[in-house]
């Protein structure tokens, strides 16, 4: 039995005066279909208790939609909540428990100050890492700096690469009537924007948003079928992962989705990739197998991700331009794909091929990720290819230093509530172990710099250049 998307709708994203219920009602209304025959409602919100002060929200939403006699449940997996709610609604229809299901995902975030929202979002981070003052942008920046180091990408090339992502997604945001940002940006605007957590600037980070998405799932045959769907998880703490520049959770989710669909990355016509941070679009394309790592810079330089390119990516504007109401984003990606497949986008950016699409959604710092493959019913796509998502990198047999050294670093400017700005953070490696610390050295941090570590009374670790290193620098300066 297949599971089909019968209808889909979005609310307008952005800083909205509407409350959470009005946003949901707007998305449901925009589906333009009768919902009185649904058997159950699956609702995804990440943190309505903190953002809106409403608990037991599944019952509350059903009451306001006039559907209070049928089953309802709320699902949450951090910023992949919208994809998770579709995943479990899909399972309920596929199993035959329900025939028609209404899937809703939403978040209302903009009524709070930025540092308060930052702190709430940081609650999904491992407590030990959160204690240092780390936020989601800070962890994303640590991943980005390490990615550049491992792939020998120079600082100026990295900035250009990240700009290409932001430029593309802002370009397409102007065509999306539901998007928060509908203006293009140029390199001068991008490079002058405020640093959030080095090297990530304001235009590298998706905005705080309000918004909702709705999907009507059914076992009745429709035009768009959910061909494959996969979920993958990883260690909660970024420091406890062997590799931080590639997300095992995405690879596992992609493997399961492709296996279910009987397809390979070569069969995907276009994609919606989770770009809460511009580097995550880059790593998302690599982890799903859509673009080879060796080709990633060329992919952006040659604009192969545009609507007339080899693999259109985030032509909805992505989270970066459409907005990122965290609970809604994963389902919004699916709605965008549905609209593109049904020709509901501007003719200027219509696609030559749009029979098979992939969405990828990241939960937390890649601890709970989803990949969904949608297919137009009747499209003749039969793949004989298979893709191996195992990381083929061989671990180097190198001597791990007993002396702690910097594995990655960032300077965080938009700090959570109660933490002074700027905050220098380093990921420290000692033998096989990694951990986060606040950096207080006079020497500019760089990967490989040897450190001394001190634990203060507040329980926070502080790192500073190892004494022997400082002496070497002084001797060199004297000689000069």
């Amino acid at each position: 039995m297949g599971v089909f998307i019968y209808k889909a709708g979005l609310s307008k994203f952005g800083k909205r005066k509407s409350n959470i219920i009005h946003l949901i009602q707007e998305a449901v209304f925009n589906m333009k279909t009768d919902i009185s025959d649904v058997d159950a409602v699956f609702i995804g919100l990440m943190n309505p208790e903190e953002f809106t002060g409403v608990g037991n929200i599944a019952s509350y939403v059903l009451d306001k939609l006039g559907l209070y006699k049928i089953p309802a449940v709320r699902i949450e997996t951090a910023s992949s909540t919208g994809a998770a709610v579709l995943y479990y609604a899909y399972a309920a229809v596929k199993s035959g428990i329900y025939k028609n299901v209404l899937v809703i995902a939403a978040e209302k975030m903009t009524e709070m100050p930025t540092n308060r929202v930052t702190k709430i979002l940081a609650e999904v981070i491992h407590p030990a890492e959160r204690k240092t003052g780390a936020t989601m942008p800070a962890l994303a920046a640590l991943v980005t700096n390490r990615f550049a180091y491992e792939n020998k990408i120079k600082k100026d090339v990295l900035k250009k690469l990240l700009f290409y992502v932001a430029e593309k997604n802002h370009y397409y945001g102007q065509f999306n009537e539901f998007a928060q940002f509908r203006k293009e940006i140029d390199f001068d605007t991008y490079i002058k924007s405020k640093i959030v957590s080095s090297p990530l600037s304001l235009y590298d980070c998706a905005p705080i948003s309000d918004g909702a998405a709705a999907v009507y799932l059914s076992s009745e045959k429709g035009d768009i079928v959910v061909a494959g769907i996969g979920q993958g998880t990883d260690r909660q703490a970024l420091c406890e992962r062997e590799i931080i520049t590639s997300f095992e959770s995405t690879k596992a989710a992609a493997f399961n989705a492709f296996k279910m669909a009987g397809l390979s990355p070569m069969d995907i016509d276009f994609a919606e990739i989770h770009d809460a941070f511009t580097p995550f679009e880059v790593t998302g394309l690599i982890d799903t197998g859509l673009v080879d790592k060796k080709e990633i810079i060329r992919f952006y330089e040659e604009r192969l991700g545009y609507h007339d390119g080899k693999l259109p990516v985030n032509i909805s504007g992505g989270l970066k331009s459409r907005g990122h109401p965290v609970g809604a984003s994963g389902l919004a990606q699916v709605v965008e794909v549905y609209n593109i497949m049904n020709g509901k986008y501007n003719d200027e950016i219509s696609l030559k091929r749009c029979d098979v699409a992939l969405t990828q959604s990241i939960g937390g710092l890649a601890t709970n990720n989803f990949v969904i493959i949608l297919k137009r019913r009747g499209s003749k796509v039969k793949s004989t290819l298979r893709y191996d998502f195992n990381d083929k990198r061989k671990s180097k047999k190198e001597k791990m230093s007993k002396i702690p050294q910097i594995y990655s670093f960032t300077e965080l400017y938009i700090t959570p509530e109660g933490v002074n700005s700027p905050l220098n953070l380093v990921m420290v490696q000692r033998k096989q172990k990694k951990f986060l610390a606040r950096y207080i050295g006079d020497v500019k941090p760089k990967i490989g710099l040897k450190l001394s570590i001190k634990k203060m009374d507040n329980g926070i670790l502080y790192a500073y250049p190892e004494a022997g290193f400082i002496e070497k620098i002084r001797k060199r300066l004297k000689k000069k």
Side-chain angles (χ1 to χ4, degrees), residues 34-207:
D34 180 21
I35 61 170
S36 62
D37 62 342
V38 298
D39 305 314
V41 179
F42 285 68
I43 300 167
L45 290 110
M46 176 180 150
N47 203 335
E49 293 84 359
E50 290 264 26
F51 288 127
T52 66
V54 179
N56 192 21
I57 200 159
S59 302
Y60 184 59
V61 170
L62 249 67
D63 188 10
K64 297 301 181 182
L65 291 176
L67 299 172
Y68 47 84
K69 292 183 180 179
I70 62 175
V73 65
R74 172 192 162 198
I75 289 167
E76 180 274 321
T77 57
S79 48
S80 63
T81 291
V85 72
L86 184 79
Y87 183 98
Y88 289 100
Y90 166 90
V93 175
K94 185 73 174 176
S95 68
I97 296 175
Y98 303 121
K99 179 182 177 182
N100 302 315
V101 167
L102 177 60
V103 188
I104 296 167
E107 212 77 62
K108 174 71 179 175
M109 304 169 66
T110 63
E111 290 184 351
M112 291 183 173
T114 300
N115 64 344
R116 176 62 182 152
V117 173
T118 300
K119 187 173 183 180
I120 292 171
L121 295 177
E123 288 171 359
V124 305
I125 297 171
H126 190 282
E129 296 182 340
R130 189 170 72 239
K131 191 173 185 178
T132 63
T135 62
M136 292 298 287
L139 295 185
L142 290 169
V143 168
T144 305
N145 279 326
R146 185 69 194 183
F147 179 86
Y149 174 80
E150 289 181 2
N151 293 284
K152 297 180 174 60
I153 300 174
K154 293 180 180 179
K155 189 176 179 180
D156 58 332
V157 177
L158 176 66
K159 289 306 290 182
K160 270 293 182 72
L161 176 62
L162 301 184
F163 164 68
Y164 290 145
V165 178
E167 178 191 37
K168 172 177 64 64
N169 296 353
H170 275 272
Y171 170 77
Y172 285 110
Q174 68 181 314
F175 298 104
N176 189 340
E177 62 179 308
F178 301 104
Q180 183 168 352
F181 297 135
R182 302 191 65 186
K183 289 184 179 180
E184 296 182 69
I185 61 168
D186 56 26
F187 187 67
D188 192 51
T189 302
Y190 170 82
I191 209 71
K192 289 179 179 177
S193 64
K194 181 179 179 180
I195 297 296
V196 175
S197 190
S198 61
L200 306 181
S201 67
L202 196 62
Y203 284 105
D204 290 308
C205 306

